[in-house]
Amino acid sequence: MTMEIQLAELIDQVKVDILARNPTQDNAQKRKEIARTFVFPTEEMFEYARQATLGDDVYYDAATAALEAHIAKVTGKEAALFVSSGTASNQIALRTHLTQPPYSVLCDQRAHMHKYEAGGTAFHSGAAVIPLLPSNGHHLTLADIEQNAITTDDVHFAPTRVIELENTLNGTIFPQDEIIRIAEYARSLSIKLHLDGARIWHVAVETGTPVKELCEPFDSVSLCFSKGLGAPVGSCLAGPKEFIAKARWYRKLFGGGMRQTGFLAACAAYALTNNFPQLPRVHALAKRLEAGLEKIGVTILTKAETCMIFFDPSPVGLDYGEIVKRAGALPEPIIARGSRIVLHIQTSEEAITDFLDLVGQMAEEKKAAGFVRQQNQTNGHYRDVYRR
């Protein structure tokens, strides 16, 4: 076999076409579906991003550097670092703060860093985690932290070196005055304070508070451009120059150094400019959904403080599985996933109407089938029964 034939066969083996047969048509259909499912980048975002610089961010990319400088300014920090995800941002931040073990990180038991980052705090940083359930059921307080932070030199315990707070957490807003109290406490003990602010944008528009003011109490902050803002990829970590310089090193060590990130940075910039202003409408939709579910008789577990709610349909005889199945079988399906509903800039009014109509119809079907919720007069507990 000649070298030319071998090379031709090799080229054939490597070839791949990952595009759909009708990519324009398929993407148009997908953009129609996003009004009832997840948030996706728009054609306008991609067109803006197409004009971004073609640098190499392991060395220098002008568009990415401009985004980092802007985020540093918006957060009031000295520097910022573009990374692939909020998980990367959080884990790089912790690894940069934590220098010499033993050490522990204190956080809310529900925190993304603790529950949804694959045990990264233990794996990357070798840190113990002190997860707390807020005594008020909503957010950690200074009292919660004072009672649980390890601040002694007792060799049996790993001293707390980082306190991690999340805002929003499950869509709820962490009161800024409580954050300031916690920050003063942490500072008095030389404990670092990190903010997982993946959705801090929502807090800013809902409270009318500048992002800089929300971030000021923290030594480091993580902000996400995907999720609610609709960029395809990316978060930023912000903090002091020396901290970010070290974080950049860890980003490379973790395999997070990327090359042509200008396109991604431009998507993030487009999201900040064009999608951020749409968040108030998203919050209004969430409140409309909450009110509609309550009117049907569904229990709201976590109220619509920003863009998400948690609900319990059992008071009207429904379970999550039934709702997920029926919603997915609609002529224009709605992708539901259980107790949490997250709304975004591309969620349509019609999707909310259709979902409320569906849950209301299903509740009426249960009622017609004889479902009744009875309350025990002795202990106040409920008992679900069917009467015919």
Side-chain angles (χ1 to χ4, degrees), residues 99-125:
T99 54
Q100 178 61 49
Y103 35 56
S104 62
V105 177
L106 186 148
C107 65
D108 192 302
Q109 182 176 305
R110 305 163 296 170
H112 192 278
M113 181 214 77
H114 173 57
K115 291 190 69 176
Y116 303 111
E117 296 183 7
T121 306
F123 182 83
H124 295 300
S125 299

PDB file of all heavy atoms in Angstrom, residues 99-125:
ATOM      1  N   THR A  99      -4.126  27.355  51.739  1.00  0.00           N
ATOM      2  CA  THR A  99      -2.697  27.197  51.472  1.00  0.00           C
ATOM      3  C   THR A  99      -2.060  26.018  52.202  1.00  0.00           C
ATOM      4  O   THR A  99      -1.468  25.150  51.580  1.00  0.00           O
ATOM      5  CB  THR A  99      -1.947  28.492  51.841  1.00  0.00           C
ATOM      6  OG1 THR A  99      -2.244  28.847  53.207  1.00  0.00           O
ATOM      7  CG2 THR A  99      -2.388  29.633  50.922  1.00  0.00           C
ATOM      8  N   GLN A 100      -2.190  25.983  53.519  1.00  0.00           N
ATOM      9  CA  GLN A 100      -1.505  24.945  54.282  1.00  0.00           C
ATOM     10  C   GLN A 100      -2.502  24.181  55.150  1.00  0.00           C
ATOM     11  O   GLN A 100      -3.060  24.735  56.083  1.00  0.00           O
ATOM     12  CB  GLN A 100      -0.427  25.570  55.175  1.00  0.00           C
ATOM     13  CG  GLN A 100       0.313  24.583  56.061  1.00  0.00           C
ATOM     14  CD  GLN A 100       1.067  23.525  55.249  1.00  0.00           C
ATOM     15  OE1 GLN A 100       1.791  23.861  54.324  1.00  0.00           O
ATOM     16  NE2 GLN A 100       0.903  22.258  55.602  1.00  0.00           N
ATOM     17  N   PRO A 101      -2.768  22.900  54.847  1.00  0.00           N
ATOM     18  CA  PRO A 101      -3.700  22.126  55.686  1.00  0.00           C
ATOM     19  C   PRO A 101      -3.106  21.891  57.071  1.00  0.00           C
ATOM     20  O   PRO A 101      -1.894  22.053  57.257  1.00  0.00           O
ATOM     21  CB  PRO A 101      -3.847  20.810  54.911  1.00  0.00           C
ATOM     22  CG  PRO A 101      -2.602  20.709  54.082  1.00  0.00           C
ATOM     23  CD  PRO A 101      -2.201  22.115  53.753  1.00  0.00           C
ATOM     24  N   PRO A 102      -3.977  21.540  58.032  1.00  0.00           N
ATOM     25  CA  PRO A 102      -5.398  21.223  57.890  1.00  0.00           C
ATOM     26  C   PRO A 102      -6.261  22.486  57.824  1.00  0.00           C
ATOM     27  O   PRO A 102      -5.904  23.516  58.395  1.00  0.00           O
ATOM     28  CB  PRO A 102      -5.693  20.419  59.155  1.00  0.00           C
ATOM     29  CG  PRO A 102      -4.752  20.976  60.179  1.00  0.00           C
ATOM     30  CD  PRO A 102      -3.497  21.289  59.421  1.00  0.00           C
ATOM     31  N   TYR A 103      -7.404  22.353  57.152  1.00  0.00           N
ATOM     32  CA  TYR A 103      -8.325  23.468  57.069  1.00  0.00           C
ATOM     33  C   TYR A 103      -9.732  22.951  56.749  1.00  0.00           C
ATOM     34  O   TYR A 103      -9.910  21.824  56.281  1.00  0.00           O
ATOM     35  CB  TYR A 103      -7.901  24.488  56.020  1.00  0.00           C
ATOM     36  CG  TYR A 103      -7.241  23.939  54.780  1.00  0.00           C
ATOM     37  CD1 TYR A 103      -7.864  22.981  53.979  1.00  0.00           C
ATOM     38  CD2 TYR A 103      -5.974  24.386  54.390  1.00  0.00           C
ATOM     39  CE1 TYR A 103      -7.248  22.497  52.839  1.00  0.00           C
ATOM     40  CE2 TYR A 103      -5.356  23.911  53.243  1.00  0.00           C
ATOM     41  CZ  TYR A 103      -6.003  22.962  52.466  1.00  0.00           C
ATOM     42  OH  TYR A 103      -5.393  22.473  51.335  1.00  0.00           O
ATOM     43  N   SER A 104     -10.717  23.801  57.007  1.00  0.00           N
ATOM     44  CA  SER A 104     -12.101  23.456  56.704  1.00  0.00           C
ATOM     45  C   SER A 104     -12.786  24.644  56.044  1.00  0.00           C
ATOM     46  O   SER A 104     -12.369  25.793  56.193  1.00  0.00           O
ATOM     47  CB  SER A 104     -12.857  23.051  57.981  1.00  0.00           C
ATOM     48  OG  SER A 104     -12.909  24.118  58.905  1.00  0.00           O
ATOM     49  N   VAL A 105     -13.841  24.323  55.290  1.00  0.00           N
ATOM     50  CA  VAL A 105     -14.664  25.321  54.625  1.00  0.00           C
ATOM     51  C   VAL A 105     -16.067  25.216  55.194  1.00  0.00           C
ATOM     52  O   VAL A 105     -16.652  24.129  55.232  1.00  0.00           O
ATOM     53  CB  VAL A 105     -14.703  25.091  53.099  1.00  0.00           C
ATOM     54  CG1 VAL A 105     -15.638  26.091  52.421  1.00  0.00           C
ATOM     55  CG2 VAL A 105     -13.302  25.168  52.517  1.00  0.00           C
ATOM     56  N   LEU A 106     -16.607  26.345  55.651  1.00  0.00           N
ATOM     57  CA  LEU A 106     -17.954  26.367  56.210  1.00  0.00           C
ATOM     58  C   LEU A 106     -18.911  26.929  55.171  1.00  0.00           C
ATOM     59  O   LEU A 106     -18.630  27.949  54.529  1.00  0.00           O
ATOM     60  CB  LEU A 106     -17.976  27.213  57.477  1.00  0.00           C
ATOM     61  CG  LEU A 106     -19.268  27.258  58.289  1.00  0.00           C
ATOM     62  CD1 LEU A 106     -18.971  27.428  59.779  1.00  0.00           C
ATOM     63  CD2 LEU A 106     -20.187  28.379  57.816  1.00  0.00           C
ATOM     64  N   CYS A 107     -20.065  26.265  54.981  1.00  0.00           N
ATOM     65  CA  CYS A 107     -21.019  26.711  53.968  1.00  0.00           C
ATOM     66  C   CYS A 107     -22.422  26.242  54.331  1.00  0.00           C
ATOM     67  O   CYS A 107     -22.624  25.458  55.258  1.00  0.00           O
ATOM     68  CB  CYS A 107     -20.642  26.165  52.593  1.00  0.00           C
ATOM     69  SG  CYS A 107     -20.744  24.362  52.467  1.00  0.00           S
ATOM     70  N   ASP A 108     -23.390  26.721  53.582  1.00  0.00           N
ATOM     71  CA  ASP A 108     -24.764  26.250  53.705  1.00  0.00           C
ATOM     72  C   ASP A 108     -24.827  24.801  53.218  1.00  0.00           C
ATOM     73  O   ASP A 108     -24.170  24.428  52.248  1.00  0.00           O
ATOM     74  CB  ASP A 108     -25.683  27.140  52.854  1.00  0.00           C
ATOM     75  CG  ASP A 108     -27.158  26.923  53.134  1.00  0.00           C
ATOM     76  OD1 ASP A 108     -27.648  25.787  52.982  1.00  0.00           O
ATOM     77  OD2 ASP A 108     -27.835  27.912  53.495  1.00  0.00           O
ATOM     78  N   GLN A 109     -25.616  23.998  53.902  1.00  0.00           N
ATOM     79  CA  GLN A 109     -25.747  22.587  53.526  1.00  0.00           C
ATOM     80  C   GLN A 109     -26.273  22.421  52.094  1.00  0.00           C
ATOM     81  O   GLN A 109     -25.985  21.433  51.423  1.00  0.00           O
ATOM     82  CB  GLN A 109     -26.710  21.890  54.497  1.00  0.00           C
ATOM     83  CG  GLN A 109     -26.912  20.414  54.258  1.00  0.00           C
ATOM     84  CD  GLN A 109     -27.791  19.780  55.304  1.00  0.00           C
ATOM     85  OE1 GLN A 109     -27.516  19.875  56.497  1.00  0.00           O
ATOM     86  NE2 GLN A 109     -28.886  19.161  54.894  1.00  0.00           N
ATOM     87  N   ARG A 110     -27.014  23.412  51.622  1.00  0.00           N
ATOM     88  CA  ARG A 110     -27.618  23.341  50.281  1.00  0.00           C
ATOM     89  C   ARG A 110     -26.712  23.930  49.199  1.00  0.00           C
ATOM     90  O   ARG A 110     -27.092  23.945  48.023  1.00  0.00           O
ATOM     91  CB  ARG A 110     -28.954  24.096  50.281  1.00  0.00           C
ATOM     92  CG  ARG A 110     -29.936  23.621  51.344  1.00  0.00           C
ATOM     93  CD  ARG A 110     -31.024  24.664  51.561  1.00  0.00           C
ATOM     94  NE  ARG A 110     -30.459  25.911  52.083  1.00  0.00           N
ATOM     95  CZ  ARG A 110     -31.158  27.044  52.183  1.00  0.00           C
ATOM     96  NH1 ARG A 110     -32.426  27.079  51.806  1.00  0.00           N
ATOM     97  NH2 ARG A 110     -30.570  28.140  52.665  1.00  0.00           N
ATOM     98  N   ALA A 111     -25.546  24.402  49.569  1.00  0.00           N
ATOM     99  CA  ALA A 111     -24.680  25.129  48.642  1.00  0.00           C
ATOM    100  C   ALA A 111     -24.280  24.276  47.444  1.00  0.00           C
ATOM    101  O   ALA A 111     -23.987  23.082  47.570  1.00  0.00           O
ATOM    102  CB  ALA A 111     -23.431  25.614  49.366  1.00  0.00           C
ATOM    103  N   HIS A 112     -24.225  24.906  46.288  1.00  0.00           N
ATOM    104  CA  HIS A 112     -23.780  24.236  45.074  1.00  0.00           C
ATOM    105  C   HIS A 112     -22.380  23.667  45.260  1.00  0.00           C
ATOM    106  O   HIS A 112     -22.095  22.529  44.858  1.00  0.00           O
ATOM    107  CB  HIS A 112     -23.787  25.237  43.910  1.00  0.00           C
ATOM    108  CG  HIS A 112     -23.625  24.606  42.570  1.00  0.00           C
ATOM    109  ND1 HIS A 112     -22.389  24.258  42.057  1.00  0.00           N
ATOM    110  CD2 HIS A 112     -24.536  24.263  41.624  1.00  0.00           C
ATOM    111  CE1 HIS A 112     -22.558  23.725  40.855  1.00  0.00           C
ATOM    112  NE2 HIS A 112     -23.840  23.717  40.563  1.00  0.00           N
ATOM    113  N   MET A 113     -21.503  24.440  45.878  1.00  0.00           N
ATOM    114  CA  MET A 113     -20.131  24.015  46.120  1.00  0.00           C
ATOM    115  C   MET A 113     -20.076  22.704  46.893  1.00  0.00           C
ATOM    116  O   MET A 113     -19.206  21.857  46.654  1.00  0.00           O
ATOM    117  CB  MET A 113     -19.389  25.102  46.897  1.00  0.00           C
ATOM    118  CG  MET A 113     -17.938  24.809  47.194  1.00  0.00           C
ATOM    119  SD  MET A 113     -17.444  25.488  48.788  1.00  0.00           S
ATOM    120  CE  MET A 113     -18.170  24.289  49.917  1.00  0.00           C
ATOM    121  N   HIS A 114     -21.027  22.504  47.815  1.00  0.00           N
ATOM    122  CA  HIS A 114     -21.033  21.317  48.660  1.00  0.00           C
ATOM    123  C   HIS A 114     -21.771  20.147  48.016  1.00  0.00           C
ATOM    124  O   HIS A 114     -21.313  19.003  48.056  1.00  0.00           O
ATOM    125  CB  HIS A 114     -21.675  21.655  50.007  1.00  0.00           C
ATOM    126  CG  HIS A 114     -21.892  20.466  50.894  1.00  0.00           C
ATOM    127  ND1 HIS A 114     -20.874  19.627  51.275  1.00  0.00           N
ATOM    128  CD2 HIS A 114     -23.028  19.981  51.474  1.00  0.00           C
ATOM    129  CE1 HIS A 114     -21.362  18.673  52.058  1.00  0.00           C
ATOM    130  NE2 HIS A 114     -22.664  18.858  52.180  1.00  0.00           N
ATOM    131  N   LYS A 115     -22.922  20.428  47.375  1.00  0.00           N
ATOM    132  CA  LYS A 115     -23.790  19.351  46.909  1.00  0.00           C
ATOM    133  C   LYS A 115     -23.592  18.961  45.454  1.00  0.00           C
ATOM    134  O   LYS A 115     -23.815  17.804  45.086  1.00  0.00           O
ATOM    135  CB  LYS A 115     -25.276  19.747  47.105  1.00  0.00           C
ATOM    136  CG  LYS A 115     -25.725  19.814  48.549  1.00  0.00           C
ATOM    137  CD  LYS A 115     -27.232  19.972  48.649  1.00  0.00           C
ATOM    138  CE  LYS A 115     -27.942  18.703  48.185  1.00  0.00           C
ATOM    139  NZ  LYS A 115     -29.420  18.807  48.366  1.00  0.00           N
ATOM    140  N   TYR A 116     -23.190  19.910  44.611  1.00  0.00           N
ATOM    141  CA  TYR A 116     -23.274  19.659  43.182  1.00  0.00           C
ATOM    142  C   TYR A 116     -21.954  19.842  42.436  1.00  0.00           C
ATOM    143  O   TYR A 116     -21.955  20.053  41.226  1.00  0.00           O
ATOM    144  CB  TYR A 116     -24.336  20.579  42.564  1.00  0.00           C
ATOM    145  CG  TYR A 116     -25.688  20.419  43.202  1.00  0.00           C
ATOM    146  CD1 TYR A 116     -26.240  21.432  43.976  1.00  0.00           C
ATOM    147  CD2 TYR A 116     -26.415  19.235  43.052  1.00  0.00           C
ATOM    148  CE1 TYR A 116     -27.475  21.287  44.577  1.00  0.00           C
ATOM    149  CE2 TYR A 116     -27.655  19.077  43.650  1.00  0.00           C
ATOM    150  CZ  TYR A 116     -28.182  20.102  44.407  1.00  0.00           C
ATOM    151  OH  TYR A 116     -29.408  19.950  45.007  1.00  0.00           O
ATOM    152  N   GLU A 117     -20.833  19.767  43.151  1.00  0.00           N
ATOM    153  CA  GLU A 117     -19.544  19.921  42.473  1.00  0.00           C
ATOM    154  C   GLU A 117     -18.666  18.691  42.663  1.00  0.00           C
ATOM    155  O   GLU A 117     -17.445  18.778  42.742  1.00  0.00           O
ATOM    156  CB  GLU A 117     -18.869  21.227  42.925  1.00  0.00           C
ATOM    157  CG  GLU A 117     -19.682  22.439  42.496  1.00  0.00           C
ATOM    158  CD  GLU A 117     -19.065  23.788  42.836  1.00  0.00           C
ATOM    159  OE1 GLU A 117     -17.909  23.813  43.313  1.00  0.00           O
ATOM    160  OE2 GLU A 117     -19.740  24.812  42.623  1.00  0.00           O
ATOM    161  N   ALA A 118     -19.347  17.531  42.746  1.00  0.00           N
ATOM    162  CA  ALA A 118     -18.683  16.223  42.700  1.00  0.00           C
ATOM    163  C   ALA A 118     -17.618  16.028  43.774  1.00  0.00           C
ATOM    164  O   ALA A 118     -16.632  15.333  43.557  1.00  0.00           O
ATOM    165  CB  ALA A 118     -18.075  15.984  41.314  1.00  0.00           C
ATOM    166  N   GLY A 119     -17.822  16.630  44.944  1.00  0.00           N
ATOM    167  CA  GLY A 119     -16.843  16.489  46.013  1.00  0.00           C
ATOM    168  C   GLY A 119     -15.540  17.205  45.731  1.00  0.00           C
ATOM    169  O   GLY A 119     -14.484  16.833  46.262  1.00  0.00           O
ATOM    170  N   GLY A 120     -15.610  18.239  44.892  1.00  0.00           N
ATOM    171  CA  GLY A 120     -14.399  18.921  44.461  1.00  0.00           C
ATOM    172  C   GLY A 120     -13.597  19.553  45.578  1.00  0.00           C
ATOM    173  O   GLY A 120     -12.366  19.622  45.499  1.00  0.00           O
ATOM    174  N   THR A 121     -14.277  20.022  46.623  1.00  0.00           N
ATOM    175  CA  THR A 121     -13.551  20.674  47.717  1.00  0.00           C
ATOM    176  C   THR A 121     -12.603  19.694  48.403  1.00  0.00           C
ATOM    177  O   THR A 121     -11.467  20.039  48.742  1.00  0.00           O
ATOM    178  CB  THR A 121     -14.542  21.257  48.746  1.00  0.00           C
ATOM    179  OG1 THR A 121     -15.455  22.118  48.062  1.00  0.00           O
ATOM    180  CG2 THR A 121     -13.821  22.032  49.822  1.00  0.00           C
ATOM    181  N   ALA A 122     -13.068  18.468  48.592  1.00  0.00           N
ATOM    182  CA  ALA A 122     -12.204  17.442  49.185  1.00  0.00           C
ATOM    183  C   ALA A 122     -11.128  16.996  48.197  1.00  0.00           C
ATOM    184  O   ALA A 122      -9.959  16.846  48.562  1.00  0.00           O
ATOM    185  CB  ALA A 122     -13.035  16.246  49.626  1.00  0.00           C
ATOM    186  N   PHE A 123     -11.528  16.821  46.933  1.00  0.00           N
ATOM    187  CA  PHE A 123     -10.589  16.286  45.943  1.00  0.00           C
ATOM    188  C   PHE A 123      -9.494  17.285  45.599  1.00  0.00           C
ATOM    189  O   PHE A 123      -8.306  16.955  45.614  1.00  0.00           O
ATOM    190  CB  PHE A 123     -11.352  15.886  44.677  1.00  0.00           C
ATOM    191  CG  PHE A 123     -10.488  15.276  43.625  1.00  0.00           C
ATOM    192  CD1 PHE A 123     -10.159  13.928  43.673  1.00  0.00           C
ATOM    193  CD2 PHE A 123      -9.975  16.034  42.585  1.00  0.00           C
ATOM    194  CE1 PHE A 123      -9.346  13.356  42.712  1.00  0.00           C
ATOM    195  CE2 PHE A 123      -9.158  15.476  41.615  1.00  0.00           C
ATOM    196  CZ  PHE A 123      -8.852  14.129  41.678  1.00  0.00           C
ATOM    197  N   HIS A 124      -9.883  18.506  45.271  1.00  0.00           N
ATOM    198  CA  HIS A 124      -8.905  19.491  44.812  1.00  0.00           C
ATOM    199  C   HIS A 124      -8.104  20.115  45.956  1.00  0.00           C
ATOM    200  O   HIS A 124      -6.921  20.394  45.798  1.00  0.00           O
ATOM    201  CB  HIS A 124      -9.603  20.612  44.042  1.00  0.00           C
ATOM    202  CG  HIS A 124     -10.236  20.166  42.766  1.00  0.00           C
ATOM    203  ND1 HIS A 124      -9.528  19.602  41.735  1.00  0.00           N
ATOM    204  CD2 HIS A 124     -11.534  20.201  42.347  1.00  0.00           C
ATOM    205  CE1 HIS A 124     -10.344  19.303  40.733  1.00  0.00           C
ATOM    206  NE2 HIS A 124     -11.569  19.664  41.076  1.00  0.00           N
ATOM    207  N   SER A 125      -8.776  20.369  47.067  1.00  0.00           N
ATOM    208  CA  SER A 125      -8.145  21.128  48.148  1.00  0.00           C
ATOM    209  C   SER A 125      -7.862  20.313  49.395  1.00  0.00           C
ATOM    210  O   SER A 125      -7.187  20.796  50.299  1.00  0.00           O
ATOM    211  CB  SER A 125      -9.028  22.332  48.525  1.00  0.00           C
ATOM    212  OG  SER A 125      -9.190  23.198  47.433  1.00  0.00           O
TER     213      SER A 125
END
